[in-house]
Amino acid sequence: MNPSPNSPISAATSPLAGPAPTVSSVSPSSGSTAGGTGVTITGTGFTGATAVRFGATAASGCTVNSDTRITAVAPAGTGAVQVTVTTPGGTSAQFVVYGYATVPAPTLTSVSPTSGPVAGGNTVTLTGSGLTNATAVRFGGTAATSFTVVSDIHITAVAPAGTGTVQITVATRGGAGDGISYAYAALPVASGVSPDQGPTSGGNTVALTGTGFTGATAVLFGATAALSFTVVSATQITAVAPPGSAGPASVNVTAPAGISAAGPSYFYVNAPVLSGVSPSSGPLAGGNTATLTGSHLIEATAVRFGATSAASFTAVSDTRLTAQAPPGSAGSTRITVTTAGGTSNPIPYGYLVAPTLSAVSPTQGSLAGGDSATLTGTNLTQTTAVLFGAVRAAFTVVSDTHIVATAPSGTAGPVGVSVVTPGGTSPAVAYARVAPPTI
């Protein structure tokens, strides 16, 4: 039975021999004296071919692709030899020459990157010499998915899947040179980030934990690269967070083996904003409760009156926070709130000296009340109450040193008059209620 196109050559012959084959070309027309070069032979009458010879030596790996094309692997040899094809019709007679030459084997000096994922698919660049006529690139025993000869000293190749450390080799007509090491590595894994939140402005430093960080080339917060990063070890990286939009962002690490997947979430937090405080002042001794209003207050980590932390604070909601004022010095200070998103704008708060009373005039009034009394003292401007004993009186602040109050009714006898301001309560001065004379 005659071999059909696209089948290996066999020694079978046909009783119906046709005309002898002709050979018109061989490509490439030369190769290494060591043999092993793949060649394509073109001509006519190749169907049923039983042998391909380079001089007197049979080629190996011969395949009849069609009646006009055969592929074969050149055997070892020297000098210039005639390439012939034999079929049942005879042996070709055309003088088609194939030249043997001493072609140096290719050399490889470097590969970049030096490692990649076990799944392959990444592109590596090989550097060396004698690479122009490369016919194959292999990672260990596995052919590259594809390769491109860039120049005589550079080849780019797409790595196949693999494991462990393998030798990359390049085959040319001069043979396959010494290999260069390439490591298959597992993808990096980012498992933790601390702290796990920060300001939308970025700039804070976080610590990433995981595996496979050696040789990391990037740290990504979402799609944005970290401002900078340092590989501390194969399991830890420190990175400076870039700016981002409020909300979660997945943190991932890119290494020679590839990029980690499903990294830990890092939350971008808006900076807090303060719009008001009530009351806006308090005593030097502190201890009073101030209610702060604004936005993004729910995750407050600190409240400060100037440089002093509040005695305590409670985030009631994202827009409301209560804080116990610490002791302070007379005058104005500024309140700020800090969260993971940063520190708020400052708002003013006043520390007030407690009021004093030195006199009340007149010093007595009727049991029925309604008498006008002038109070003299200091720090009276922000008076919020005038007390005759425990009873509140109507009053008018005349100046920081004078108040006019209307005495309330009461029982006969002395009563202490005091003034209340955000700075505290004054010591009391005596005022007497006197019953009217009887007739």
Side-chain angles (χ1 to χ4, degrees):
M1 179 182 294
N2 290 328
S4 61
N6 294 310
S7 65
I9 289 176
S10 71
T13 60
S14 170
L16 301 175
T22 65
V23 174
S24 57
S25 68
V26 59
S27 177
S29 60
S30 62
S32 169
T33 56
T37 302
V39 298
T40 299
I41 302 162
T42 56
T44 62
F46 291 166
T47 301
T50 57
V52 174
R53 291 182 177 84
F54 285 64
T57 307
S60 62
C62 301
T63 300
V64 177
N65 301 112
S66 70
D67 194 57
T68 60
R69 183 172 179 270
I70 291 175
T71 55
V73 177
T78 58
V81 297
Q82 184 176 1
V83 178
T84 59
V85 174
T86 299
T87 70
T91 298
S92 61
Q94 288 75 15
F95 195 75
V96 177
V97 175
Y98 178 85
Y100 284 99
T102 303
V103 178
T107 63
L108 288 178
T109 56
S110 68
V111 56
S112 179
T114 58
S115 61
V118 294
N122 57 307
T123 298
V124 302
T125 299
L126 303 171
T127 302
S129 62
L131 307 181
T132 299
N133 294 310
T135 57
V137 176
R138 291 184 174 84
F139 288 66
T142 306
T145 303
S146 64
F147 69 90
T148 301
V149 176
V150 179
S151 68
D152 194 58
I153 62 172
H154 287 109
I155 288 178
T156 61
V158 178
T163 57
T165 299
V166 299
Q167 295 293 303
I168 301 178
T169 56
V170 174
T172 69
R173 287 181 296 174
D178 293 335
I180 191 164
S181 292
Y182 177 84
Y184 283 100
L187 290 175
V189 175
S191 56
V193 56
S194 178
D196 61 0
Q197 55 184 356
T200 54
S201 59
N204 57 308
T205 299
V206 302
L208 298 175
T209 53
T211 59
F213 292 165
T214 300
T217 56
V219 175
L220 301 176
F221 288 68
T224 306
L227 298 180
S228 63
F229 69 92
T230 301
V231 178
V232 180
S233 67
T235 60
Q236 185 175 2
I237 289 176
T238 58
V240 178
S245 301
S250 179
V251 183
N252 288 293
V253 175
T254 300
I259 185 169
S260 61
S265 290
Y266 175 85
F267 286 84
Y268 281 101
V269 182
N270 285 313
V273 176
L274 287 179
S275 57
V277 56
S278 180
S280 60
S281 56
L284 301 182
N288 58 304
T289 297
T291 298
L292 304 173
T293 53
S295 58
H296 312 306
L297 306 180
I298 194 67
E299 294 186 342
T301 56
V303 177
R304 292 183 176 87
F305 288 66
T308 307
S309 296
S312 64
F313 65 89
T314 300
V316 179
S317 68
D318 199 49
T319 59
R320 184 168 172 264
L321 181 151
T322 59
Q324 186 178 4
S329 301
S332 180
T333 188
R334 301 213 172 241
I335 302 176
T336 57
V337 174
T338 300
T339 71
T343 298
S344 72
N345 57 299
I347 57 172
Y349 177 85
Y351 279 102
L352 303 178
V353 176
T356 65
L357 284 181
S358 56
V360 57
S361 179
T363 59
Q364 60 181 24
S366 66
L367 299 179
D371 304 292
S372 179
T374 299
L375 308 177
T376 302
T378 61
N379 305 313
L380 305 180
T381 299
Q382 297 194 46
T383 296
T384 57
V386 174
L387 301 176
F388 283 69
V391 180
R392 287 177 175 263
F395 68 93
T396 300
V397 175
V398 179
S399 69
D400 196 52
T401 59
H402 289 92
I403 291 176
V404 175
T406 301
S409 61
T411 58
V415 65
V417 180
S418 58
V419 173
V420 179
T421 75
T425 301
S426 71
V429 295
Y431 178 83
R433 291 192 183 95
V434 180
T438 58
I439 299 176

